[in-house]
Amino acid sequence: MTSLTLGRRRAAGARAGRQSRRPVFGLPTGIAAGFGLLCLLASTAPVAQAQIIENPKDPFSFNIPHSRVRLIHSTDVSLEGTSGHLRATDPFLFYQAGRQLLNRQFELEHGVLSRPATMDVPLYVGAAGHTTVHGVPSNTRFARDHSASCGMCHSSVYREAGAGPTIASTGGFGRNSTHFYGAGLVEMISQDMRIKVLNQYDLNGNGLIERAEVKESAPVRLSPVPGAEPIDFGNLQPGADGVPQLNTVFRLWFVDGEGQVLRDAHGFRDERVAAFGFSVQPFGWGRGRRMIDGQSTSQGGEGTTLREFYAVASDFHMGMQAHDPTLQGIGKAVDEHGGLASVSLNGAQQFAFGGSTDRGVKLATTGLSMDDPDGDGIFAELTEGDIDAVEFFLLHTPIPAVQPTDTSELGRKILDEVGCTSCHVADWKIEARNEELGFDGDRRHFHFQPTAKKTEEGIYEIQGEVQLLYETLPSGEKQPKGDAFVVEGIYTDFRHHDLGPNFYERRFDGTLQKEHRTAPLWGLATSSPFGHSGNYLSFYDVIIAHGGAATDSRDAYARLSPQRREQLHAFLRTLVLYSSDEIPADINGDGQIAENYVIGEQNYGYERFDARFLFNTPPEYNEYRWIVRPNGRRVPIGLFTNIDALYGLDLPWRVDGDGDGFPDKLDPLPEIPGVIPEEKEGGDHDALTR
Amino acid sequence: MTLSRADLNRWGRGLLAAVLLFVTAGEAAAQFSVRPEDPTGLSIREKRVRVIHSTDASVPGTSMHLQQWDPWLAYQRGRSYYFREWGTEDGVFTHLPNRPEAAAATSCGVCHNTPFPSVGAGGNVGISVRVGRNAVHFFGAGLLETLAIQLRAQLINKYDLNGNGYIDVPEESLGKRAYIESSAGHVLDFGSLHDDNGDGRPDLNPVIMFRAVGEDGKARLFNSRGRPASMRDEETVGYDIALGVFASSAGDHQFPSVRMFSTGVFVTIMGILPEVDSSEVQPLGMTGGFLTNDWGRFSNTGAFLSEVLLTGDPYAEKDLSKRPTISEGELDLLDWFMINHPAPALGPQTAQTLKGRELMTEFGCTSCHVQDWEILPADPEKNLPGDRRFFDLETEYNYVANQMQGTLHDLTVPTPGPNGQTLNLPKRDGFVVKDIFTDLRHHNLGPRWREYHVSGEHIRLEAAMFRTSPLWGVGSTPPYGHDGRSPTLDHVIRRHEGDAIESSTAYKNASQEDRDALLAFLRSLVLYQPESLPTDMNGDGRITTAHKINGHDVGPEIFRPEFMLRKTPIYEGWTESPDGDRYFSYALQNVGESYGEYLEALVDRDKDTVPDIIDPDAPRPPVQAKTENEEDVGELLADAGGEE
């Protein structure tokens, strides 16, 4: 152990109070003074780069005004302050809690960035023994632990689940960070796709596809909306190499006759294999194929569910390990290699593809994981309740908008004519809840609909509307209605395609990835650069680079007159992201957007989707002064005066008496900062575990 | 020779102590990792060595030697520091200031890298007292920096009438305004040299930072009451200036050079303490010897440095755990890479974009977004720096191939150096910086931009004036505004009020056709991925698909700085992949040779990152010196190793 981690272990036990800031390890007084001087000379505090920080003195209220308290998972809605309770009773607070976790710049005392630049992320999914491949760069992806917040990479639009920079991933040209607007809809579509395939071919209903079930050709054809041309996702039947011939957006696992997941099986050529299971992985640019013993095996998409994507990324990119039993395999699943995990609090089937990187082998009597897998002295860096909140937020992230001009709609037709929409499929339907067929319906509590309205100035302004999708049960519990929902203008078929050499990726080990997903075009205009590697900077460049499966459309585009090409581009430029809490929005369903939105006595300025306005306990603040926002609208700015009540920090399952970030109900030492007795540091703390 | 034996000894101790703390082996890694075998050739090739700073080319492998003897090697090694993800063994996060923004990322490239890999723009980042900052690109940063140095020299030349190096108050300030020509005939007003409003600062545009000068003719940070020195202090007789061009507003990480900007970031974001300058540290009472106070020094690249450059003195720091973790020589190379990085480009032009360019002037945009600036040839007597770069990558859109293409221009002149070496020094000619579109000044753009913070019980206006954002590259760098709160160009233009109200009104009132034309032109001001750019690298007027250097096949002729190294890179070349396809592999076969790992000051046989030349624990016997100066260097080695 290096002196660094020793210092942090000590720090974690000794000083993690509500008032404490980061540990000041090894900071020479001269440096501190130096910065003081810098401040003085510059007449203001120096700027550093970060995401949203904890700062109760931010008059804009963009920063997070309270210390971090881990959320406790529960499905019992009566346990006030647990994830289950917040979801059912105060969904906008739960949404904001998840949003905070995505935006939050974690600090070292939260356990972030503890193994920076360590190369132990395997180049291939599910590769065995990846934790021991230090020093073998050709078998690893990027180095881990390089940012302190999701928002470092997903930050355009700022403070949203936006797009962002490129990082070296499996090859030198890297991967561009995608946006997560509308991500919940993507997850629900992909889960429906799996159910539809199972309904058609899993005749014995065990969730697996047996050899017998794919003896004959079993083509997977899925219609995005009723009546539309079905999309070809390949065939469940194995090819000559024994591998089902599915599009690589599917990730497979193979099981023996007992249903046990086989970590080293890749197809039906393996005699142990009796069946396979599968998931659809809609998140990520795709990982293509990998040849193993002459078998072309799918590397899948990247992330299967919102929950899994977040938990895995938190570990790899931030060094924050989640103890999330929801993501741990059940039955005969093998974590990281497949099989089913649980259905999440928010209703999404999870899969055993990793994510719960903190296994919770050793649990405190309170249920807190005492594993500390990265050995940085910080326990349970992310809890199952935290992941519940993140999943809930991502399920509800606002969808991208269309911001037209008077003539931009002309280009929409050209998109069809050129043939783009044969893969960039515009609309998808989420089926209504149907227990018999296994559909969950729309699992969201609300939908935020952006619409462009023409203003007096003659421009189209994006305005929003909060549409509630839940019903309130007699118990007071708010439960999603589970209706159908048609997702319009997403422009993807969810498949992976070979688009020719311009889109090939040479992995670090020299192998070639040919397939990448059809990028959803919504939000395109504000998430440049384009392509999985972010190598293309203009619409022209990225479109003309298409080849392979898109050759005909590319050629048709190339034949367009400059004028019609510009019309097409003009339409693509209307597909934008936006700041969900800055645009004017009708949040109370009265059909209007108030200039002065008033709750009780408080005037909040123009009506907008600041989720806090919809909390059970709305915010109160000292009104300091009125300012003008970038969109020209006026709001008051000031400091919140009811932070604990506002954020539910006084609820029984959220109270954190010793201010160490562990709520009392989870904290083995609720009255002493830290979770292990200081004198037993590094030694025996078995007395606290079960 | 400025690198003395005592220096070497002293540095050896400091560096070694820092290194010993972090004994974890394993690869250092990155935005890019150290992967010489990376078939795309974009990863970092060489293992980290704590390059030793020097101010001349006497000792091979020291920073100035690399810069002058093999400028492309210095550039390429500097690139590694930009994209490197700093790890525990580098001491990342060990010197963080106690502030919530610290420990945000492990590499410059996490925030500034679009298009990847380059010194491009990035997303938005948060800060404690403001609403966020958009990460700017550094394409052409060296040109911008040179303009800042030139402007300082021009202002001092013009208004320091007695030639004492600073502006005497009130003799040289009263009633004077600072006028500067951006290019011949185009005059800009940078404000009053005098403190007419009595706030203790000259009423210059806020892009100009000032430093009070005392009766002894030296810069003063503090007055006799311990407050920041101002023009109202009795002991102030004048002031010196610098242009803080790398900041969106005054005080906002405002530094006159990219080197200082990056040095600050190393500490504030990554907790890596940069090493002391080799020049003497002048301890200041309140700062414990960690600041230098010679405002007005220049780095090896000619970057303007000031005392707010935060540097640690490894020798002064007795606690081993607090020793610095990046050497001054490494900063020299990073600086060299950044000031030489190519500038943005002009994308394909159409009748629409040409009309848009005209409308920039018609609407009045160019009164602040000034199109071109002229760098004057170097003139030592006038302290004019000239163009400090060693190459220029000229870009042009090829309408037949429908792609951007480059032409490499060498800006060096062969010059005899020490030990019979031929050095390649920048010519320091003049250069016209085209289509940069900035006046370098700060402006009041009205209420939609203002930022506030809470101080005690009061809310205060934090920032109301912001720099005129250079528009080069603007087509590739959404979102817009210093705070990134404008997702589109249309949004950010409409947001302009205050000083820009007339221009933005002209835009708003224009026909959609005209607005589209203006936006089309702005979108044609682009960045690009330089290392994939088809480029005429050898000046033969062609761009070939199979380029050869000294008989070695190096693949298509693209802008790969490696091609220009003194020792030609030898690539794996055409090869069959595990998937059976044939491709050109840039896996590098001669890292040690091409990256100069044999040069005396870069030899590090025990791979502890401390060069053997200053590493008392290096294997014995010391490496044989490889220059004509063999005896001298051998003596240095013996001396360096003998004392511990």
Side-chain angles (χ1 to χ4, degrees), chain A residues 391-403:
Chain A
E391 181 189 34
F392 189 78
F393 168 70
L394 286 171
L395 182 64
H396 290 84
T397 47
I399 59 171
V402 178
Q403 188 173 30

Side-chain angles (χ1 to χ4, degrees), chain A residues 2-4 21-22 24-28 30-31 33-35 37-38 40-55 57-60 62-63 105-108 113-117 119 135 137-138 140-148 151-152 155-158 165-168 172-174 291 403 405-407 457 459 506-512 526 528-529 533-535 537 540-541 566 573 576-578 582 624-625 627-632 637 639, chain B residues 21 24 27-35 37-40 42-43 85-88 92-106 110-116 123-128 130-133 201 211 221-222 228 250-253 255 267-269 273 286-287 290-291 307-308 310 317 322 397 402 447-448 450-454 456-459 462 476 478-479 485 487-488 491 494-495 508 512 523 527-529 532 560 577-579 581 583:
Chain A
T2 67
S3 59
L4 177 64
R21 301 302 307 172
R22 92 180 54 270
V24 188
F25 29 99
L27 183 68
I31 297 305
F35 267 86
L37 179 62
L38 191 72
L40 288 170
L41 291 173
S43 80
T44 176
V47 168
Q49 305 198 333
Q51 279 308 311
I52 310 274
I53 56 167
E54 244 172 56
N55 174 22
K57 292 221 160 190
D58 165 25
F60 294 95
F62 289 154
N63 291 334
Q105 188 194 329
F106 288 106
E107 303 183 22
L108 296 177
L113 296 168
S114 49
R115 290 175 282 178
M119 293 177 68
S138 65
T140 57
R141 290 187 193 177
F142 48 70
R144 62 155 54 243
D145 296 12
H146 34 227
S147 73
M152 292 301 294
S155 67
S156 298
V157 175
Y158 182 46
T166 303
I167 59 165
F173 279 101
M291 291 300 292
Q403 188 173 30
T405 65
D406 284 337
T407 55
E457 212 177 329
I459 59 168
R506 185 69 58 188
R507 296 191 189 108
F508 286 128
D509 66 351
T511 56
L512 188 67
T526 40
S528 72
S533 63
N535 245 21
L537 292 162
Y540 175 83
D541 288 348
E566 173 51 29
R573 275 197 294 275
V576 296
L577 306 179
Y578 55 91
E582 296 226 33
Y624 280 96
R625 65 192 291 171
I627 63 156
V628 180
R629 279 197 163 179
N631 59 12
I637 57 172
L639 299 183
Chain B
L21 277 175
T24 49
E27 297 295 321
Q31 237 321 85
F32 276 132
S33 312
V34 179
R35 298 178 194 256
E37 305 290 325
D38 175 8
T40 69
L42 294 170
S43 295
E85 265 181 23
W86 298 85
T88 307
V92 73
F93 305 137
T94 53
H95 286 79
L96 290 171
N98 188 16
R99 46 213 292 274
E101 297 95 330
T106 56
V110 168
C111 292
H112 303 272
N113 81 6
T114 303
F116 180 78
N124 241 46
V125 291
I127 49 179
S128 58
R130 302 186 185 88
V131 293
R133 280 291 177 276
R201 299 162 164 267
R211 173 72 57 250
L221 294 170
F222 300 97
D252 169 12
H253 216 122
F255 293 125
V267 181
T268 57
I269 305 298
L273 185 61
M286 69 170 285
T287 60
F290 278 89
L291 300 183
E307 75 284 273
V308 288
L310 195 82
E317 179 53 68
K322 296 170 187 170
Y397 197 80
N402 274 324
R448 296 186 188 201
R450 288 182 190 151
E451 302 190 334
Y452 301 84
H453 79 285
V454 174
E457 289 301 305
H458 302 287
I459 197 159
E462 172 82 20
S476 309
R485 287 170 91 189
T488 62
H491 188 284
R494 290 177 189 275
R495 200 174 155 190
K508 289 175 195 170
Q512 189 184 318
R523 279 195 299 273
L527 304 182
Y528 53 94
Q529 206 279 301
S532 304
R560 285 286 166 113
S577 85
D579 289 332
D581 68 311
Y583 72 103

Side-chain angles (χ1 to χ4, degrees), chain A residues 23-251:
Chain A
V24 188
F25 29 99
L27 183 68
T29 50
I31 297 305
F35 267 86
L37 179 62
L38 191 72
C39 296
L40 288 170
L41 291 173
S43 80
T44 176
V47 168
Q49 305 198 333
Q51 279 308 311
I52 310 274
I53 56 167
E54 244 172 56
N55 174 22
K57 292 221 160 190
D58 165 25
F60 294 95
S61 312
F62 289 154
N63 291 334
I64 299 169
H66 63 85
S67 307
R68 179 173 176 224
V69 184
R70 289 162 176 76
L71 276 160
I72 300 174
H73 165 80
S74 170
T75 52
D76 182 346
V77 300
S78 69
L79 303 179
E80 293 179 28
T82 61
S83 59
H85 169 261
L86 293 177
R87 174 178 177 272
T89 62
D90 203 348
F92 291 99
L93 170 56
F94 199 44
Y95 170 91
Q96 190 73 0
R99 187 177 186 195
Q100 276 187 358
L101 280 162
L102 275 178
N103 281 331
R104 176 182 275 279
Q105 188 194 329
F106 288 106
E107 303 183 22
L108 296 177
E109 68 182 30
H110 299 137
V112 77
L113 296 168
S114 49
R115 290 175 282 178
T118 302
M119 293 177 68
D120 63 2
V121 181
L123 189 61
Y124 296 105
V125 296
H130 67 262
T131 53
T132 59
V133 294
H134 289 256
V136 190
S138 65
N139 289 337
T140 57
R141 290 187 193 177
F142 48 70
R144 62 155 54 243
D145 296 12
H146 34 227
S147 73
S149 170
C150 302
M152 292 301 294
C153 287
H154 299 276
S155 67
S156 298
V157 175
Y158 182 46
R159 301 182 296 104
E160 303 283 350
T166 303
I167 59 165
S169 184
T170 46
F173 279 101
R175 290 288 171 98
N176 192 235
S177 304
T178 58
H179 72 75
F180 283 90
Y181 280 61
L185 300 171
V186 170
E187 180 182 77
M188 291 189 282
I189 292 168
S190 71
Q191 297 230 327
D192 274 7
M193 286 164 61
R194 176 170 177 274
I195 297 298
K196 286 174 183 174
V197 177
L198 286 175
N199 287 348
Q200 187 175 358
Y201 293 110
D202 175 23
L203 303 177
N204 64 4
N206 68 349
L208 297 167
I209 304 292
E210 273 79 17
R211 279 181 190 264
E213 290 167 342
V214 289
K215 217 167 188 176
E216 307 293 328
S217 177
V220 177
R221 305 280 186 275
L222 300 171
S223 290
V225 290
E229 179 81 7
I231 296 170
D232 179 358
F233 283 89
N235 199 309
L236 294 170
Q237 191 181 37
D241 62 356
V243 180
Q245 305 164 83
L246 286 167
N247 189 279
T248 46
V249 74
F250 287 88
R251 177 128 173 245

Side-chain angles (χ1 to χ4, degrees), chain A residues 243-370:
Chain A
V243 180
Q245 305 164 83
L246 286 167
N247 189 279
T248 46
V249 74
F250 287 88
R251 177 128 173 245
L252 315 183
W253 64 88
F254 294 89
V255 302
D256 65 16
E258 304 297 313
Q260 175 65 47
V261 172
L262 300 164
R263 63 176 70 213
D264 56 348
H266 304 286
F268 282 107
R269 260 193 347 205
D270 188 326
E271 288 180 359
R272 296 171 299 165
V273 170
F276 70 94
F278 65 91
S279 68
V280 178
Q281 296 195 306
F283 299 112
W285 288 102
R287 290 297 177 192
R289 296 181 179 280
R290 176 191 182 197
M291 291 300 292
I292 304 174
D293 301 334
Q295 299 160 103
S296 176
T297 63
S298 169
Q299 290 282 292
E302 180 89 65
T304 329
T305 61
L306 297 167
R307 192 173 186 103
E308 174 196 308
F309 191 96
Y310 174 77
V312 170
S314 295
D315 177 36
F316 286 175
H317 299 298
M318 299 193 291
M320 297 284 286
Q321 290 84 44
H323 174 229
D324 184 12
T326 298
L327 279 172
Q328 292 177 2
I330 54 176
K332 290 171 178 171
V334 176
D335 278 343
E336 297 193 32
H337 294 270
L340 297 185
S342 301
V343 174
S344 72
L345 176 70
N346 302 302
Q349 174 67 57
Q350 304 298 318
F351 300 87
F353 289 132
S356 184
T357 42
D358 179 345
R359 300 279 310 160
V361 173
K362 189 180 266 188
L363 294 177
T365 49
T366 57
L368 186 77
S369 171
M370 304 297 280

Side-chain angles (χ1 to χ4, degrees), chain B residues 334-346:
Chain B
L334 175 63
D335 187 2
W336 185 243
F337 167 68
M338 291 192 71
I339 73 139
N340 280 292
H341 193 281
L346 186 64

Side-chain angles (χ1 to χ4, degrees), chain B residues 10-20 50 275 327 610-611 614:
Chain B
R10 178 180 140 177
W11 286 45
R13 284 197 301 273
L15 283 171
L16 184 75
V19 170
L20 286 176
R50 296 179 197 237
E275 193 182 85
S327 76
V610 179
I614 55 168

Side-chain angles (χ1 to χ4, degrees), chain B residues 449-506:
Chain B
W449 302 76
R450 288 182 190 151
E451 302 190 334
Y452 301 84
H453 79 285
V454 174
S455 171
E457 289 301 305
H458 302 287
I459 197 159
R460 295 183 194 282
L461 181 62
E462 172 82 20
M465 294 189 61
F466 299 92
R467 76 161 180 173
T468 306
S469 176
L471 297 184
W472 58 1
V474 77
S476 309
T477 56
Y480 302 108
H482 67 279
D483 54 9
R485 287 170 91 189
S486 293
T488 62
L489 287 164
D490 179 76
H491 188 284
V492 75
I493 295 170
R494 290 177 189 275
R495 200 174 155 190
H496 283 61
E497 290 172 358
D499 292 356
I501 189 71
E502 286 179 28
S503 304
S504 64
T505 304

